[in-house]
PDB file of all heavy atoms in Angstrom:
ATOM      1  N   LYS B 127      -4.846  -4.163   1.812  1.00 93.00           N
ATOM      2  CA  LYS B 127      -4.220  -4.164   3.136  1.00 93.00           C
ATOM      3  C   LYS B 127      -2.744  -4.500   3.061  1.00 93.00           C
ATOM      4  O   LYS B 127      -1.941  -3.921   3.786  1.00 93.00           O
ATOM      5  CB  LYS B 127      -4.926  -5.199   4.034  1.00 93.00           C
ATOM      6  CG  LYS B 127      -6.197  -4.693   4.640  1.00 93.00           C
ATOM      7  CD  LYS B 127      -5.882  -3.928   5.908  1.00 93.00           C
ATOM      8  CE  LYS B 127      -7.094  -3.208   6.448  1.00 93.00           C
ATOM      9  NZ  LYS B 127      -6.709  -2.160   7.411  1.00 93.00           N
ATOM     10  N   SER B 128      -2.367  -5.471   2.246  1.00 91.00           N
ATOM     11  CA  SER B 128      -0.964  -5.909   2.285  1.00 91.00           C
ATOM     12  C   SER B 128      -0.212  -5.871   0.970  1.00 91.00           C
ATOM     13  O   SER B 128       0.960  -6.220   0.945  1.00 91.00           O
ATOM     14  CB  SER B 128      -0.844  -7.327   2.862  1.00 91.00           C
ATOM     15  OG  SER B 128      -2.025  -7.919   3.103  1.00 91.00           O
ATOM     16  N   ARG B 129      -0.854  -5.431  -0.125  1.00 94.00           N
ATOM     17  CA  ARG B 129      -0.132  -5.404  -1.394  1.00 94.00           C
ATOM     18  C   ARG B 129      -0.074  -4.015  -2.036  1.00 94.00           C
ATOM     19  O   ARG B 129       0.666  -3.820  -3.001  1.00 94.00           O
ATOM     20  CB  ARG B 129      -0.756  -6.401  -2.383  1.00 94.00           C
ATOM     21  CG  ARG B 129      -0.523  -7.863  -2.020  1.00 94.00           C
ATOM     22  CD  ARG B 129       0.936  -8.251  -2.135  1.00 94.00           C
ATOM     23  NE  ARG B 129       1.160  -9.649  -1.820  1.00 94.00           N
ATOM     24  CZ  ARG B 129       1.372 -10.125  -0.597  1.00 94.00           C
ATOM     25  NH1 ARG B 129       1.402  -9.299   0.437  1.00 94.00           N
ATOM     26  NH2 ARG B 129       1.561 -11.414  -0.371  1.00 94.00           N
ATOM     27  N   ALA B 130      -0.841  -3.076  -1.521  1.00 96.00           N
ATOM     28  CA  ALA B 130      -0.769  -1.715  -2.072  1.00 96.00           C
ATOM     29  C   ALA B 130       0.229  -0.921  -1.233  1.00 96.00           C
ATOM     30  O   ALA B 130       0.178  -0.961  -0.009  1.00 96.00           O
ATOM     31  CB  ALA B 130      -2.144  -1.066  -2.044  1.00 96.00           C
ATOM     32  N   PRO B 131       1.163  -0.225  -1.892  1.00 98.00           N
ATOM     33  CA  PRO B 131       2.220   0.463  -1.140  1.00 98.00           C
ATOM     34  C   PRO B 131       1.753   1.730  -0.425  1.00 98.00           C
ATOM     35  O   PRO B 131       1.958   2.843  -0.891  1.00 98.00           O
ATOM     36  CB  PRO B 131       3.294   0.745  -2.186  1.00 98.00           C
ATOM     37  CG  PRO B 131       2.591   0.702  -3.493  1.00 98.00           C
ATOM     38  CD  PRO B 131       1.391  -0.178  -3.341  1.00 98.00           C
ATOM     39  N   PHE B 132       1.092   1.496   0.721  1.00 98.00           N
ATOM     40  CA  PHE B 132       0.720   2.567   1.649  1.00 98.00           C
ATOM     41  C   PHE B 132       1.294   2.186   3.009  1.00 98.00           C
ATOM     42  O   PHE B 132       1.332   0.997   3.365  1.00 98.00           O
ATOM     43  CB  PHE B 132      -0.802   2.656   1.809  1.00 98.00           C
ATOM     44  CG  PHE B 132      -1.537   3.172   0.610  1.00 98.00           C
ATOM     45  CD1 PHE B 132      -2.226   2.292  -0.215  1.00 98.00           C
ATOM     46  CD2 PHE B 132      -1.572   4.526   0.316  1.00 98.00           C
ATOM     47  CE1 PHE B 132      -2.932   2.753  -1.315  1.00 98.00           C
ATOM     48  CE2 PHE B 132      -2.279   4.999  -0.782  1.00 98.00           C
ATOM     49  CZ  PHE B 132      -2.954   4.108  -1.598  1.00 98.00           C
ATOM     50  N   TRP B 133       1.675   3.212   3.772  1.00 98.00           N
ATOM     51  CA  TRP B 133       2.152   2.999   5.143  1.00 98.00           C
ATOM     52  C   TRP B 133       1.498   4.035   6.034  1.00 98.00           C
ATOM     53  O   TRP B 133       1.500   5.226   5.712  1.00 98.00           O
ATOM     54  CB  TRP B 133       3.678   3.115   5.213  1.00 98.00           C
ATOM     55  CG  TRP B 133       4.329   2.131   4.311  1.00 98.00           C
ATOM     56  CD1 TRP B 133       4.635   0.827   4.610  1.00 98.00           C
ATOM     57  CD2 TRP B 133       4.716   2.323   2.948  1.00 98.00           C
ATOM     58  NE1 TRP B 133       5.178   0.212   3.513  1.00 98.00           N
ATOM     59  CE2 TRP B 133       5.238   1.102   2.482  1.00 98.00           C
ATOM     60  CE3 TRP B 133       4.657   3.407   2.070  1.00 98.00           C
ATOM     61  CZ2 TRP B 133       5.709   0.943   1.191  1.00 98.00           C
ATOM     62  CZ3 TRP B 133       5.122   3.251   0.774  1.00 98.00           C
ATOM     63  CH2 TRP B 133       5.640   2.029   0.352  1.00 98.00           C
ATOM     64  N   LYS B 134       0.968   3.557   7.175  1.00 97.00           N
ATOM     65  CA  LYS B 134       0.253   4.455   8.093  1.00 97.00           C
ATOM     66  C   LYS B 134       1.098   4.753   9.316  1.00 97.00           C
ATOM     67  O   LYS B 134       1.713   3.845   9.888  1.00 97.00           O
ATOM     68  CB  LYS B 134      -1.035   3.773   8.570  1.00 97.00           C
ATOM     69  CG  LYS B 134      -2.092   3.612   7.515  1.00 97.00           C
ATOM     70  CD  LYS B 134      -3.286   2.914   8.152  1.00 97.00           C
ATOM     71  CE  LYS B 134      -4.393   2.654   7.158  1.00 97.00           C
ATOM     72  NZ  LYS B 134      -5.134   1.435   7.500  1.00 97.00           N
ATOM     73  N   ARG B 135       1.075   6.017   9.735  1.00 97.00           N
ATOM     74  CA  ARG B 135       1.783   6.416  10.949  1.00 97.00           C
ATOM     75  C   ARG B 135       0.795   7.155  11.844  1.00 97.00           C
ATOM     76  O   ARG B 135       0.133   8.096  11.401  1.00 97.00           O
ATOM     77  CB  ARG B 135       2.950   7.335  10.577  1.00 97.00           C
ATOM     78  CG  ARG B 135       3.939   7.560  11.695  1.00 97.00           C
ATOM     79  CD  ARG B 135       5.241   8.092  11.132  1.00 97.00           C
ATOM     80  NE  ARG B 135       5.064   9.405  10.551  1.00 97.00           N
ATOM     81  CZ  ARG B 135       5.628  10.516  11.032  1.00 97.00           C
ATOM     82  NH1 ARG B 135       6.416  10.450  12.070  1.00 97.00           N
ATOM     83  NH2 ARG B 135       5.427  11.672  10.442  1.00 97.00           N
ATOM     84  N   GLU B 136       0.709   6.696  13.097  1.00 95.00           N
ATOM     85  CA  GLU B 136      -0.201   7.324  14.060  1.00 95.00           C
ATOM     86  C   GLU B 136       0.578   8.329  14.904  1.00 95.00           C
ATOM     87  O   GLU B 136       1.583   7.971  15.515  1.00 95.00           O
ATOM     88  CB  GLU B 136      -0.824   6.262  14.970  1.00 95.00           C
ATOM     89  CG  GLU B 136      -1.775   5.345  14.217  1.00 95.00           C
ATOM     90  CD  GLU B 136      -2.224   4.137  15.021  1.00 95.00           C
ATOM     91  OE1 GLU B 136      -1.573   3.813  16.036  1.00 95.00           O
ATOM     92  OE2 GLU B 136      -3.218   3.511  14.621  1.00 95.00           O
ATOM     93  N   ILE B 137       0.089   9.563  14.926  1.00 96.00           N
ATOM     94  CA  ILE B 137       0.755  10.605  15.710  1.00 96.00           C
ATOM     95  C   ILE B 137      -0.150  10.994  16.872  1.00 96.00           C
ATOM     96  O   ILE B 137      -1.309  11.396  16.667  1.00 96.00           O
ATOM     97  CB  ILE B 137       1.064  11.830  14.813  1.00 96.00           C
ATOM     98  CG1 ILE B 137       1.948  11.373  13.639  1.00 96.00           C
ATOM     99  CG2 ILE B 137       1.754  12.932  15.620  1.00 96.00           C
ATOM    100  CD1 ILE B 137       2.094  12.387  12.522  1.00 96.00           C
ATOM    101  N   THR B 138       0.367  10.836  18.094  1.00 94.00           N
ATOM    102  CA  THR B 138      -0.377  11.199  19.306  1.00 94.00           C
ATOM    103  C   THR B 138       0.504  12.127  20.136  1.00 94.00           C
ATOM    104  O   THR B 138       1.648  12.417  19.766  1.00 94.00           O
ATOM    105  CB  THR B 138      -0.709   9.953  20.156  1.00 94.00           C
ATOM    106  OG1 THR B 138       0.507   9.487  20.774  1.00 94.00           O
ATOM    107  CG2 THR B 138      -1.295   8.826  19.310  1.00 94.00           C
ATOM    108  N   ALA B 139      -0.031  12.576  21.273  1.00 92.00           N
ATOM    109  CA  ALA B 139       0.755  13.440  22.159  1.00 92.00           C
ATOM    110  C   ALA B 139       2.000  12.700  22.652  1.00 92.00           C
ATOM    111  O   ALA B 139       2.993  13.314  23.036  1.00 92.00           O
ATOM    112  CB  ALA B 139      -0.103  13.894  23.335  1.00 92.00           C
ATOM    113  N   GLN B 140       1.946  11.365  22.671  1.00 91.00           N
ATOM    114  CA  GLN B 140       3.070  10.566  23.151  1.00 91.00           C
ATOM    115  C   GLN B 140       4.181  10.397  22.111  1.00 91.00           C
ATOM    116  O   GLN B 140       5.262   9.928  22.444  1.00 91.00           O
ATOM    117  CB  GLN B 140       2.597   9.160  23.562  1.00 91.00           C
ATOM    118  CG  GLN B 140       1.405   9.129  24.493  1.00 91.00           C
ATOM    119  CD  GLN B 140       1.697   9.800  25.811  1.00 91.00           C
ATOM    120  OE1 GLN B 140       2.752   9.588  26.405  1.00 91.00           O
ATOM    121  NE2 GLN B 140       0.785  10.651  26.269  1.00 91.00           N
ATOM    122  N   GLY B 141       3.874  10.728  20.861  1.00 94.00           N
ATOM    123  CA  GLY B 141       4.886  10.529  19.812  1.00 94.00           C
ATOM    124  C   GLY B 141       4.248   9.912  18.591  1.00 94.00           C
ATOM    125  O   GLY B 141       3.029   9.991  18.409  1.00 94.00           O
ATOM    126  N   SER B 142       5.064   9.299  17.740  1.00 95.00           N
ATOM    127  CA  SER B 142       4.492   8.704  16.530  1.00 95.00           C
ATOM    128  C   SER B 142       4.935   7.256  16.377  1.00 95.00           C
ATOM    129  O   SER B 142       6.032   6.884  16.785  1.00 95.00           O
ATOM    130  CB  SER B 142       4.889   9.521  15.299  1.00 95.00           C
ATOM    131  OG  SER B 142       6.218   9.269  14.959  1.00 95.00           O
ATOM    132  N   THR B 143       4.035   6.464  15.806  1.00 94.00           N
ATOM    133  CA  THR B 143       4.274   5.026  15.646  1.00 94.00           C
ATOM    134  C   THR B 143       3.822   4.587  14.263  1.00 94.00           C
ATOM    135  O   THR B 143       2.695   4.914  13.855  1.00 94.00           O
ATOM    136  CB  THR B 143       3.408   4.209  16.653  1.00 94.00           C
ATOM    137  OG1 THR B 143       3.456   4.853  17.920  1.00 94.00           O
ATOM    138  CG2 THR B 143       3.902   2.784  16.768  1.00 94.00           C
ATOM    139  N   TRP B 144       4.686   3.862  13.552  1.00 96.00           N
ATOM    140  CA  TRP B 144       4.263   3.254  12.290  1.00 96.00           C
ATOM    141  C   TRP B 144       3.350   2.083  12.604  1.00 96.00           C
ATOM    142  O   TRP B 144       3.662   1.254  13.462  1.00 96.00           O
ATOM    143  CB  TRP B 144       5.472   2.768  11.491  1.00 96.00           C
ATOM    144  CG  TRP B 144       6.267   3.914  10.953  1.00 96.00           C
ATOM    145  CD1 TRP B 144       7.420   4.427  11.476  1.00 96.00           C
ATOM    146  CD2 TRP B 144       5.952   4.719   9.807  1.00 96.00           C
ATOM    147  NE1 TRP B 144       7.832   5.505  10.728  1.00 96.00           N
ATOM    148  CE2 TRP B 144       6.958   5.707   9.697  1.00 96.00           C
ATOM    149  CE3 TRP B 144       4.925   4.704   8.861  1.00 96.00           C
ATOM    150  CZ2 TRP B 144       6.954   6.664   8.681  1.00 96.00           C
ATOM    151  CZ3 TRP B 144       4.927   5.655   7.851  1.00 96.00           C
ATOM    152  CH2 TRP B 144       5.928   6.613   7.760  1.00 96.00           C
ATOM    153  N   VAL B 145       2.205   2.022  11.930  1.00 94.00           N
ATOM    154  CA  VAL B 145       1.279   0.911  12.134  1.00 94.00           C
ATOM    155  C   VAL B 145       1.926  -0.350  11.566  1.00 94.00           C
ATOM    156  O   VAL B 145       2.387  -0.358  10.429  1.00 94.00           O
ATOM    157  CB  VAL B 145      -0.069   1.197  11.432  1.00 94.00           C
ATOM    158  CG1 VAL B 145      -0.996  -0.007  11.527  1.00 94.00           C
ATOM    159  CG2 VAL B 145      -0.726   2.441  12.032  1.00 94.00           C
ATOM    160  N   ALA B 146       1.990  -1.400  12.390  1.00 93.00           N
ATOM    161  CA  ALA B 146       2.622  -2.653  11.949  1.00 93.00           C
ATOM    162  C   ALA B 146       1.638  -3.484  11.143  1.00 93.00           C
ATOM    163  O   ALA B 146       0.428  -3.486  11.419  1.00 93.00           O
ATOM    164  CB  ALA B 146       3.099  -3.443  13.160  1.00 93.00           C
ATOM    165  N   ALA B 147       2.155  -4.170  10.135  1.00 91.00           N
ATOM    166  CA  ALA B 147       1.317  -5.097   9.367  1.00 91.00           C
ATOM    167  C   ALA B 147       0.918  -6.250  10.280  1.00 91.00           C
ATOM    168  O   ALA B 147       1.680  -6.665  11.148  1.00 91.00           O
ATOM    169  CB  ALA B 147       2.086  -5.598   8.156  1.00 91.00           C
ATOM    170  N   LYS B 148      -0.304  -6.746  10.075  1.00 91.00           N
ATOM    171  CA  LYS B 148      -0.784  -7.853  10.908  1.00 91.00           C
ATOM    172  C   LYS B 148      -0.659  -9.171  10.159  1.00 91.00           C
ATOM    173  O   LYS B 148      -0.924  -9.232   8.960  1.00 91.00           O
ATOM    174  CB  LYS B 148      -2.266  -7.642  11.261  1.00 91.00           C
ATOM    175  CG  LYS B 148      -2.535  -6.420  12.114  1.00 91.00           C
ATOM    176  CD  LYS B 148      -3.981  -6.459  12.607  1.00 91.00           C
ATOM    177  CE  LYS B 148      -4.369  -5.200  13.342  1.00 91.00           C
ATOM    178  NZ  LYS B 148      -4.628  -4.059  12.434  1.00 91.00           N
ATOM    179  N   ASP B 149      -0.282 -10.226  10.920  1.00 89.00           N
ATOM    180  CA  ASP B 149      -0.166 -11.555  10.305  1.00 89.00           C
ATOM    181  C   ASP B 149      -1.480 -11.976   9.653  1.00 89.00           C
ATOM    182  O   ASP B 149      -1.496 -12.578   8.587  1.00 89.00           O
ATOM    183  CB  ASP B 149       0.232 -12.599  11.355  1.00 89.00           C
ATOM    184  CG  ASP B 149       1.690 -12.439  11.767  1.00 89.00           C
ATOM    185  OD1 ASP B 149       2.445 -11.751  11.038  1.00 89.00           O
ATOM    186  OD2 ASP B 149       2.066 -12.993  12.807  1.00 89.00           O
ATOM    187  N   GLU B 150      -2.604 -11.639  10.328  1.00 91.00           N
ATOM    188  CA  GLU B 150      -3.897 -12.102   9.777  1.00 91.00           C
ATOM    189  C   GLU B 150      -4.232 -11.417   8.449  1.00 91.00           C
ATOM    190  O   GLU B 150      -4.968 -11.971   7.640  1.00 91.00           O
ATOM    191  CB  GLU B 150      -5.033 -11.942  10.789  1.00 91.00           C
ATOM    192  CG  GLU B 150      -5.285 -10.532  11.265  1.00 91.00           C
ATOM    193  CD  GLU B 150      -4.766 -10.293  12.677  1.00 91.00           C
ATOM    194  OE1 GLU B 150      -3.663 -10.812  12.988  1.00 91.00           O
ATOM    195  OE2 GLU B 150      -5.435  -9.589  13.446  1.00 91.00           O
ATOM    196  N   ASP B 151      -3.678 -10.209   8.224  1.00 90.00           N
ATOM    197  CA  ASP B 151      -3.911  -9.561   6.927  1.00 90.00           C
ATOM    198  C   ASP B 151      -3.199 -10.331   5.817  1.00 90.00           C
ATOM    199  O   ASP B 151      -3.713 -10.480   4.708  1.00 90.00           O
ATOM    200  CB  ASP B 151      -3.410  -8.112   6.955  1.00 90.00           C
ATOM    201  CG  ASP B 151      -4.320  -7.215   7.793  1.00 90.00           C
ATOM    202  OD1 ASP B 151      -5.482  -7.605   7.999  1.00 90.00           O
ATOM    203  OD2 ASP B 151      -3.856  -6.156   8.243  1.00 90.00           O
ATOM    204  N   GLU B 152      -2.007 -10.810   6.133  1.00 88.00           N
ATOM    205  CA  GLU B 152      -1.250 -11.613   5.161  1.00 88.00           C
ATOM    206  C   GLU B 152      -1.961 -12.950   4.943  1.00 88.00           C
ATOM    207  O   GLU B 152      -2.119 -13.406   3.808  1.00 88.00           O
ATOM    208  CB  GLU B 152       0.167 -11.825   5.691  1.00 88.00           C
ATOM    209  CG  GLU B 152       1.145 -12.412   4.705  1.00 88.00           C
ATOM    210  CD  GLU B 152       1.379 -11.556   3.469  1.00 88.00           C
ATOM    211  OE1 GLU B 152       1.355 -10.305   3.547  1.00 88.00           O
ATOM    212  OE2 GLU B 152       1.580 -12.155   2.402  1.00 88.00           O
ATOM    213  N   GLU B 153      -2.437 -13.553   6.043  1.00 91.00           N
ATOM    214  CA  GLU B 153      -3.125 -14.856   5.934  1.00 91.00           C
ATOM    215  C   GLU B 153      -4.433 -14.726   5.151  1.00 91.00           C
ATOM    216  O   GLU B 153      -4.863 -15.665   4.487  1.00 91.00           O
ATOM    217  CB  GLU B 153      -3.413 -15.412   7.340  1.00 91.00           C
ATOM    218  CG  GLU B 153      -2.157 -15.913   8.035  1.00 91.00           C
ATOM    219  CD  GLU B 153      -2.299 -15.953   9.559  1.00 91.00           C
ATOM    220  OE1 GLU B 153      -3.435 -15.820  10.062  1.00 91.00           O
ATOM    221  OE2 GLU B 153      -1.260 -16.119  10.232  1.00 91.00           O
ATOM    222  N   ALA B 154      -5.066 -13.552   5.241  1.00 91.00           N
ATOM    223  CA  ALA B 154      -6.341 -13.353   4.547  1.00 91.00           C
ATOM    224  C   ALA B 154      -6.185 -13.495   3.036  1.00 91.00           C
ATOM    225  O   ALA B 154      -7.139 -13.817   2.332  1.00 91.00           O
ATOM    226  CB  ALA B 154      -6.917 -11.983   4.895  1.00 91.00           C
ATOM    227  N   LEU B 155      -4.962 -13.272   2.545  1.00 92.00           N
ATOM    228  CA  LEU B 155      -4.734 -13.397   1.096  1.00 92.00           C
ATOM    229  C   LEU B 155      -4.769 -14.846   0.637  1.00 92.00           C
ATOM    230  O   LEU B 155      -5.060 -15.121  -0.523  1.00 92.00           O
ATOM    231  CB  LEU B 155      -3.370 -12.792   0.731  1.00 92.00           C
ATOM    232  CG  LEU B 155      -3.272 -11.271   0.796  1.00 92.00           C
ATOM    233  CD1 LEU B 155      -1.856 -10.843   0.446  1.00 92.00           C
ATOM    234  CD2 LEU B 155      -4.257 -10.644  -0.165  1.00 92.00           C
TER     235      LEU B 155
END
Side-chain angles (χ1 to χ4, degrees):
Chain B
K127 279 275 171 197
S128 5
R129 290 293 181 273
F132 290 103
W133 302 274
K134 291 180 182 149
R135 193 162 65 114
E136 292 170 343
I137 302 168
T138 72
Q140 310 298 316
S142 76
T143 317
W144 290 100
V145 175
K148 296 190 186 77
D149 287 344
E150 60 255 40
D151 287 339
E152 191 61 34
E153 287 158 12
L155 288 178

